[in-house]
Every structure is written in C-alpha cells, then in structure tokens.
Amino acid sequence: MAESFSLQNVLDTFKSSLSENKEIYIQYYIAGWKELVSFMNSLGTVFSFISKDAVNKIQILENLQAGESGSHYLTVQSMVKYELENELVDLTKRSSHPESGCRTLLRLHRALLWLELFLERLRTSTEESKTSVMCSDAYNESLAQHHAWIIRKATGVAFCALPGRDSFFQVMNAGSEQEVVALLGEALALISEVHQITEDLYGQNNLLELP
Ligand code: 1Q0
C-alpha cells in the first residue's frame, strides 16, 4: 500500500466492491480487508494472531481467484453458485473441502459485522468513551459467538492494548472530529449494505453456519 491508511480508502475499496446490480466483487472486498489489516499491523504485535488469520483467509481467496477456476470467483454470488453446484463446500463438517471459498469468506463476513458495530460505536462515542470497551462490546455482539473460549480470551487481552479514541480519530485521516463522524456515517451505510447483501445470499443458501 503506497499511501497511508485512511478511512476514505477503506470506504472507496468497499464501494468498488459493489457492482451495478449489487453483486460483490471479491477482489475489492479483499482489498478492503487488506487496508484494515495493514492498519491493524501498525497497532503492534499483540494483534499478530488476528492479522495472521485474516491474511491467511485473504490468501485462500486470492489463490482461488488465481487458480484454474478463477473466473468463477469474480463475485461472491458467482462463487456461491459455482461451489454449491460443484459440491465444493463442506456443509456439515470439515472434510474434503476444508478451505472452500464460501466458508472462508463467511469468516470475513462475520468480522465485517464486528467492524460495522465497532464503527457505529466510534461514530456515536464521546470523549470519555473507551475504545477497548466499544471494541469488546461489538465483538461480544458478533464474532464472539463463533469463537472458542481460548480465542475470546486472547482477543480480550488484545483489546486492552488498543489506542485511545483520539488516536483512532487521527488515524482515520479524515480531518476534524465532525468530518470523521460524517465519513464514518457514509462508510457505515456502505459496509452495512455489503454485509446485508452477503447475509441474504448466505441465508438463502443455508450457508450461515458453514463449519
Ligand atoms: C483494531 C482492533 C482489531 C480487532 C479485531 C477484532 C476481531 C477479532 C478476531 C479474532 C480472531 C482470532 C484469530 C483466529 C480466529 C479464527 O479461529 C476465526 C475462525 O476461522 P476458522 O478458520 O478457525 O474457522 N477467524 C475469524 O473469525 C476471522 C477473523 C478476521 C478478523 C479480521 C480483523 C481485521 C481487522 C481490522 C482492523 C479494523 C480496524 C478498525 C478501525 C478502522 C478505522 C477506520
């Protein structure tokens, strides 16, 4: 990434991920996550276990896109159709397709809900609000239910190492507090649209609990 992190970049990449007919381009969806991961890496090594997993999932999707069947991995919609029609998804327990695109993207999709809840808390926060609390509240409402105890524990420790609200507002690189809040609103509308489209698609295909 050439230029430094900004919320605008994240917003722009997720914007590019939405096609005219509301399909989601995997390439830009992944690019959005890459932006977020690079930001997380700048927070310190306490977060390495999280970014390693995110990078691993991004890599799995990139490999699928670069592979022989890459053309089927253009959008989330085409991926779901292709993998289901060709029985490339482990539906009840991990066996012959432990790293399907569908189950891999589902993990990022669940994390996107965390991001949505966290950014909404940041947007409506006051100077006294603690990022660690906002972060763990958002986590408990989303990802935590999918994580084993040991991961929840490690995640809790990492949250305590988060910088304060001021640094978050600065790092978003969007100007004054009011400008950040406005941009957060814009980003949230988009992130929640992308999340909802994926949620509906996965729900219709019974993919929301993939092992
Ligand atoms: C800045 C704070 C970062 C907090 C991130 C919260 C998410 C916690 C996730 C903990 C993941 C623990 C590592 C392993 C988990 C896996 O077991 C799990 C399931 O996968 P599997 O293969 O075992 O079934 N994996 C996941 O749930 C995927 C987790 C992906 C997390 C991606 C997080 C990317 C973080 C981005 C930083 C966002 C900064 C937001 C503020 C930006 C301001 C514009």
Side-chain angles (χ1 to χ4, degrees):
M1 201 181 47
E3 73 260 62
S4 55
F5 181 85
S6 76
L7 181 59
Q8 187 69 53
N9 280 348
V10 177
L11 176 62
D12 290 345
T13 13
F14 278 109
K15 222 178 230 167
S16 322
S17 77
L18 266 186
S19 81
E20 250 169 62
N21 56 346
K22 305 287 178 191
E23 296 206 9
I24 297 163
Y25 293 116
I26 294 176
Q27 187 190 342
Y28 295 107
Y29 187 89
I30 290 175
W33 280 110
K34 283 185 168 175
E35 295 273 349
L36 292 164
V37 167
S38 75
F39 167 66
M40 193 168 46
N41 284 337
S42 74
L43 295 179
T45 49
V46 197
F47 297 92
S48 314
F49 78 106
I50 305 177
S51 69
K52 263 192 199 129
D53 188 70
V55 166
N56 177 254
K57 300 224 167 4
I58 290 167
Q59 191 63 57
I60 292 171
L61 291 167
E62 285 189 328
N63 290 346
L64 289 167
Q65 285 201 311
E68 320 188 316
S69 311
S71 62
H72 298 289
Y73 291 87
L74 184 65
T75 66
V76 179
Q77 286 75 3
S78 66
M79 171 187 79
V80 165
K81 184 166 185 286
Y82 169 72
E83 288 196 341
L84 286 180
E85 280 177 0
N86 293 281
E87 296 180 16
L88 295 170
V89 186
D90 288 343
L91 296 171
T92 50
K93 71 174 194 348
R94 292 182 87 179
S95 54
S96 41
H97 304 289
E99 297 195 329
S100 67
C102 286
R103 70 89 60 193
T104 303
L105 192 123
L106 175 62
R107 271 58 189 176
L108 295 177
H109 169 67
R110 288 169 174 168
L112 195 62
L113 179 59
W114 164 78
L115 183 69
E116 188 181 330
L117 297 173
F118 176 58
L119 293 183
E120 175 57 20
R121 280 177 166 78
L122 264 185
R123 189 182 72 85
T124 55
S125 64
T126 63
E127 266 170 55
E128 296 84 61
S129 307
K130 290 223 177 318
T131 48
S132 55
V133 175
M134 296 189 260
C135 208
S136 64
D137 285 351
Y139 176 74
N140 290 333
E141 276 181 35
S142 57
L143 275 174
Q145 40 213 98
H146 305 288
H147 286 165
W149 179 84
I150 183 81
I151 301 221
R152 295 203 302 268
K153 204 73 190 160
T155 304
V157 172
F159 288 162
C160 295
L162 280 175
R165 178 178 179 272
D166 283 354
S167 340
F168 265 94
F169 270 65
Q170 265 174 28
V171 92
M172 287 191 265
N173 238 317
S176 70
E177 175 152 347
Q178 289 97 310
E179 288 170 314
V180 171
V181 168
L183 193 62
L184 275 172
E186 210 185 306
L188 272 160
L190 191 77
I191 288 171
S192 90
E193 183 176 13
V194 170
H195 184 271
Q196 194 59 50
I197 292 171
T198 313
E199 183 79 9
D200 292 344
L201 176 72
Y202 269 60
Q204 284 151 14
N205 290 283
N206 276 316
L207 299 175
L208 285 167
E209 299 299 328
L210 288 180

mmCIF file with all atom_site columns, all heavy atoms in Angstrom, residues 45-57:
data_model
loop_
_atom_site.group_PDB
_atom_site.id
_atom_site.type_symbol
_atom_site.label_atom_id
_atom_site.label_alt_id
_atom_site.label_comp_id
_atom_site.label_asym_id
_atom_site.label_entity_id
_atom_site.label_seq_id
_atom_site.pdbx_PDB_ins_code
_atom_site.Cartn_x
_atom_site.Cartn_y
_atom_site.Cartn_z
_atom_site.occupancy
_atom_site.B_iso_or_equiv
_atom_site.pdbx_formal_charge
_atom_site.auth_seq_id
_atom_site.auth_comp_id
_atom_site.auth_asym_id
_atom_site.auth_atom_id
_atom_site.pdbx_PDB_model_num
ATOM 1   N N   . THR A 1 45 ? 2.334   -5.973  17.995 1.00 0.00 ? 45 THR A N   1
ATOM 2   C CA  . THR A 1 45 ? 2.381   -7.431  17.831 1.00 0.00 ? 45 THR A CA  1
ATOM 3   C C   . THR A 1 45 ? 1.277   -8.180  18.583 1.00 0.00 ? 45 THR A C   1
ATOM 4   O O   . THR A 1 45 ? 1.013   -9.332  18.281 1.00 0.00 ? 45 THR A O   1
ATOM 5   C CB  . THR A 1 45 ? 3.740   -7.990  18.308 1.00 0.00 ? 45 THR A CB  1
ATOM 6   O OG1 . THR A 1 45 ? 4.009   -7.441  19.593 1.00 0.00 ? 45 THR A OG1 1
ATOM 7   C CG2 . THR A 1 45 ? 4.847   -7.619  17.350 1.00 0.00 ? 45 THR A CG2 1
ATOM 8   N N   . VAL A 1 46 ? 0.641   -7.516  19.562 1.00 0.00 ? 46 VAL A N   1
ATOM 9   C CA  . VAL A 1 46 ? -0.472  -8.169  20.264 1.00 0.00 ? 46 VAL A CA  1
ATOM 10  C C   . VAL A 1 46 ? -1.563  -8.597  19.278 1.00 0.00 ? 46 VAL A C   1
ATOM 11  O O   . VAL A 1 46 ? -2.360  -9.482  19.555 1.00 0.00 ? 46 VAL A O   1
ATOM 12  C CB  . VAL A 1 46 ? -1.146  -7.210  21.272 1.00 0.00 ? 46 VAL A CB  1
ATOM 13  C CG1 . VAL A 1 46 ? -2.000  -7.962  22.262 1.00 0.00 ? 46 VAL A CG1 1
ATOM 14  C CG2 . VAL A 1 46 ? -0.139  -6.348  21.966 1.00 0.00 ? 46 VAL A CG2 1
ATOM 15  N N   . PHE A 1 47 ? -1.568  -7.923  18.123 1.00 0.00 ? 47 PHE A N   1
ATOM 16  C CA  . PHE A 1 47 ? -2.638  -8.191  17.170 1.00 0.00 ? 47 PHE A CA  1
ATOM 17  C C   . PHE A 1 47 ? -2.231  -9.176  16.081 1.00 0.00 ? 47 PHE A C   1
ATOM 18  O O   . PHE A 1 47 ? -3.022  -9.490  15.201 1.00 0.00 ? 47 PHE A O   1
ATOM 19  C CB  . PHE A 1 47 ? -3.112  -6.871  16.538 1.00 0.00 ? 47 PHE A CB  1
ATOM 20  C CG  . PHE A 1 47 ? -3.703  -5.937  17.547 1.00 0.00 ? 47 PHE A CG  1
ATOM 21  C CD1 . PHE A 1 47 ? -2.911  -4.995  18.193 1.00 0.00 ? 47 PHE A CD1 1
ATOM 22  C CD2 . PHE A 1 47 ? -5.047  -6.024  17.891 1.00 0.00 ? 47 PHE A CD2 1
ATOM 23  C CE1 . PHE A 1 47 ? -3.450  -4.149  19.162 1.00 0.00 ? 47 PHE A CE1 1
ATOM 24  C CE2 . PHE A 1 47 ? -5.595  -5.182  18.850 1.00 0.00 ? 47 PHE A CE2 1
ATOM 25  C CZ  . PHE A 1 47 ? -4.792  -4.246  19.484 1.00 0.00 ? 47 PHE A CZ  1
ATOM 26  N N   . SER A 1 48 ? -0.976  -9.675  16.169 1.00 0.00 ? 48 SER A N   1
ATOM 27  C CA  . SER A 1 48 ? -0.472  -10.543 15.088 1.00 0.00 ? 48 SER A CA  1
ATOM 28  C C   . SER A 1 48 ? -1.329  -11.769 14.873 1.00 0.00 ? 48 SER A C   1
ATOM 29  O O   . SER A 1 48 ? -1.550  -12.184 13.736 1.00 0.00 ? 48 SER A O   1
ATOM 30  C CB  . SER A 1 48 ? 0.947   -11.024 15.379 1.00 0.00 ? 48 SER A CB  1
ATOM 31  O OG  . SER A 1 48 ? 1.731   -9.975  15.796 1.00 0.00 ? 48 SER A OG  1
ATOM 32  N N   . PHE A 1 49 ? -1.800  -12.381 15.964 1.00 0.00 ? 49 PHE A N   1
ATOM 33  C CA  . PHE A 1 49 ? -2.574  -13.611 15.773 1.00 0.00 ? 49 PHE A CA  1
ATOM 34  C C   . PHE A 1 49 ? -3.882  -13.347 15.035 1.00 0.00 ? 49 PHE A C   1
ATOM 35  O O   . PHE A 1 49 ? -4.381  -14.207 14.323 1.00 0.00 ? 49 PHE A O   1
ATOM 36  C CB  . PHE A 1 49 ? -2.825  -14.328 17.109 1.00 0.00 ? 49 PHE A CB  1
ATOM 37  C CG  . PHE A 1 49 ? -3.920  -13.711 17.952 1.00 0.00 ? 49 PHE A CG  1
ATOM 38  C CD1 . PHE A 1 49 ? -5.149  -14.333 18.069 1.00 0.00 ? 49 PHE A CD1 1
ATOM 39  C CD2 . PHE A 1 49 ? -3.708  -12.520 18.619 1.00 0.00 ? 49 PHE A CD2 1
ATOM 40  C CE1 . PHE A 1 49 ? -6.171  -13.761 18.841 1.00 0.00 ? 49 PHE A CE1 1
ATOM 41  C CE2 . PHE A 1 49 ? -4.724  -11.949 19.387 1.00 0.00 ? 49 PHE A CE2 1
ATOM 42  C CZ  . PHE A 1 49 ? -5.948  -12.565 19.499 1.00 0.00 ? 49 PHE A CZ  1
ATOM 43  N N   . ILE A 1 50 ? -4.382  -12.128 15.176 1.00 0.00 ? 50 ILE A N   1
ATOM 44  C CA  . ILE A 1 50 ? -5.601  -11.786 14.435 1.00 0.00 ? 50 ILE A CA  1
ATOM 45  C C   . ILE A 1 50 ? -5.264  -11.512 12.979 1.00 0.00 ? 50 ILE A C   1
ATOM 46  O O   . ILE A 1 50 ? -5.905  -12.045 12.066 1.00 0.00 ? 50 ILE A O   1
ATOM 47  C CB  . ILE A 1 50 ? -6.301  -10.550 15.050 1.00 0.00 ? 50 ILE A CB  1
ATOM 48  C CG1 . ILE A 1 50 ? -6.576  -10.778 16.539 1.00 0.00 ? 50 ILE A CG1 1
ATOM 49  C CG2 . ILE A 1 50 ? -7.587  -10.234 14.288 1.00 0.00 ? 50 ILE A CG2 1
ATOM 50  C CD1 . ILE A 1 50 ? -7.193  -9.574  17.244 1.00 0.00 ? 50 ILE A CD1 1
ATOM 51  N N   . SER A 1 51 ? -4.220  -10.703 12.758 1.00 0.00 ? 51 SER A N   1
ATOM 52  C CA  . SER A 1 51 ? -3.917  -10.358 11.373 1.00 0.00 ? 51 SER A CA  1
ATOM 53  C C   . SER A 1 51 ? -3.406  -11.575 10.600 1.00 0.00 ? 51 SER A C   1
ATOM 54  O O   . SER A 1 51 ? -3.689  -11.720 9.423  1.00 0.00 ? 51 SER A O   1
ATOM 55  C CB  . SER A 1 51 ? -2.966  -9.169  11.275 1.00 0.00 ? 51 SER A CB  1
ATOM 56  O OG  . SER A 1 51 ? -1.701  -9.481  11.722 1.00 0.00 ? 51 SER A OG  1
ATOM 57  N N   . LYS A 1 52 ? -2.706  -12.482 11.271 1.00 0.00 ? 52 LYS A N   1
ATOM 58  C CA  . LYS A 1 52 ? -2.263  -13.712 10.593 1.00 0.00 ? 52 LYS A CA  1
ATOM 59  C C   . LYS A 1 52 ? -3.456  -14.486 10.048 1.00 0.00 ? 52 LYS A C   1
ATOM 60  O O   . LYS A 1 52 ? -3.452  -14.961 8.926  1.00 0.00 ? 52 LYS A O   1
ATOM 61  C CB  . LYS A 1 52 ? -1.494  -14.616 11.561 1.00 0.00 ? 52 LYS A CB  1
ATOM 62  C CG  . LYS A 1 52 ? -0.002  -14.449 11.455 1.00 0.00 ? 52 LYS A CG  1
ATOM 63  C CD  . LYS A 1 52 ? 0.748   -15.567 12.199 1.00 0.00 ? 52 LYS A CD  1
ATOM 64  C CE  . LYS A 1 52 ? 2.171   -15.121 12.466 1.00 0.00 ? 52 LYS A CE  1
ATOM 65  N NZ  . LYS A 1 52 ? 2.579   -15.272 13.867 1.00 0.00 ? 52 LYS A NZ  1
ATOM 66  N N   . ASP A 1 53 ? -4.467  -14.621 10.873 1.00 0.00 ? 53 ASP A N   1
ATOM 67  C CA  . ASP A 1 53 ? -5.650  -15.360 10.429 1.00 0.00 ? 53 ASP A CA  1
ATOM 68  C C   . ASP A 1 53 ? -6.360  -14.633 9.288  1.00 0.00 ? 53 ASP A C   1
ATOM 69  O O   . ASP A 1 53 ? -6.773  -15.248 8.309  1.00 0.00 ? 53 ASP A O   1
ATOM 70  C CB  . ASP A 1 53 ? -6.618  -15.590 11.599 1.00 0.00 ? 53 ASP A CB  1
ATOM 71  C CG  . ASP A 1 53 ? -7.761  -16.512 11.200 1.00 0.00 ? 53 ASP A CG  1
ATOM 72  O OD1 . ASP A 1 53 ? -7.493  -17.713 10.993 1.00 0.00 ? 53 ASP A OD1 1
ATOM 73  O OD2 . ASP A 1 53 ? -8.897  -16.031 11.051 1.00 0.00 ? 53 ASP A OD2 1
ATOM 74  N N   . ALA A 1 54 ? -6.463  -13.323 9.405  1.00 0.00 ? 54 ALA A N   1
ATOM 75  C CA  . ALA A 1 54 ? -7.109  -12.549 8.343  1.00 0.00 ? 54 ALA A CA  1
ATOM 76  C C   . ALA A 1 54 ? -6.319  -12.675 7.039  1.00 0.00 ? 54 ALA A C   1
ATOM 77  O O   . ALA A 1 54 ? -6.900  -12.919 5.970  1.00 0.00 ? 54 ALA A O   1
ATOM 78  C CB  . ALA A 1 54 ? -7.233  -11.086 8.766  1.00 0.00 ? 54 ALA A CB  1
ATOM 79  N N   . VAL A 1 55 ? -4.998  -12.548 7.135  1.00 0.00 ? 55 VAL A N   1
ATOM 80  C CA  . VAL A 1 55 ? -4.145  -12.664 5.947  1.00 0.00 ? 55 VAL A CA  1
ATOM 81  C C   . VAL A 1 55 ? -4.279  -14.052 5.318  1.00 0.00 ? 55 VAL A C   1
ATOM 82  O O   . VAL A 1 55 ? -4.364  -14.210 4.099  1.00 0.00 ? 55 VAL A O   1
ATOM 83  C CB  . VAL A 1 55 ? -2.660  -12.373 6.297  1.00 0.00 ? 55 VAL A CB  1
ATOM 84  C CG1 . VAL A 1 55 ? -1.725  -12.814 5.200  1.00 0.00 ? 55 VAL A CG1 1
ATOM 85  C CG2 . VAL A 1 55 ? -2.478  -10.898 6.599  1.00 0.00 ? 55 VAL A CG2 1
ATOM 86  N N   . ASN A 1 56 ? -4.323  -15.053 6.176  1.00 0.00 ? 56 ASN A N   1
ATOM 87  C CA  . ASN A 1 56 ? -4.489  -16.429 5.700  1.00 0.00 ? 56 ASN A CA  1
ATOM 88  C C   . ASN A 1 56 ? -5.801  -16.579 4.908  1.00 0.00 ? 56 ASN A C   1
ATOM 89  O O   . ASN A 1 56 ? -5.835  -17.180 3.828  1.00 0.00 ? 56 ASN A O   1
ATOM 90  C CB  . ASN A 1 56 ? -4.459  -17.366 6.909  1.00 0.00 ? 56 ASN A CB  1
ATOM 91  C CG  . ASN A 1 56 ? -4.706  -18.805 6.531  1.00 0.00 ? 56 ASN A CG  1
ATOM 92  O OD1 . ASN A 1 56 ? -5.776  -19.338 6.786  1.00 0.00 ? 56 ASN A OD1 1
ATOM 93  N ND2 . ASN A 1 56 ? -3.726  -19.433 5.883  1.00 0.00 ? 56 ASN A ND2 1
ATOM 94  N N   . LYS A 1 57 ? -6.848  -15.995 5.403  1.00 0.00 ? 57 LYS A N   1
ATOM 95  C CA  . LYS A 1 57 ? -8.144  -16.114 4.728  1.00 0.00 ? 57 LYS A CA  1
ATOM 96  C C   . LYS A 1 57 ? -8.147  -15.337 3.409  1.00 0.00 ? 57 LYS A C   1
ATOM 97  O O   . LYS A 1 57 ? -8.671  -15.790 2.401  1.00 0.00 ? 57 LYS A O   1
ATOM 98  C CB  . LYS A 1 57 ? -9.242  -15.638 5.666  1.00 0.00 ? 57 LYS A CB  1
ATOM 99  C CG  . LYS A 1 57 ? -9.276  -16.483 6.958  1.00 0.00 ? 57 LYS A CG  1
ATOM 100 C CD  . LYS A 1 57 ? -10.613 -16.873 7.371  1.00 0.00 ? 57 LYS A CD  1
ATOM 101 C CE  . LYS A 1 57 ? -10.734 -17.942 8.431  1.00 0.00 ? 57 LYS A CE  1
ATOM 102 N NZ  . LYS A 1 57 ? -9.562  -18.500 9.088  1.00 0.00 ? 57 LYS A NZ  1
#
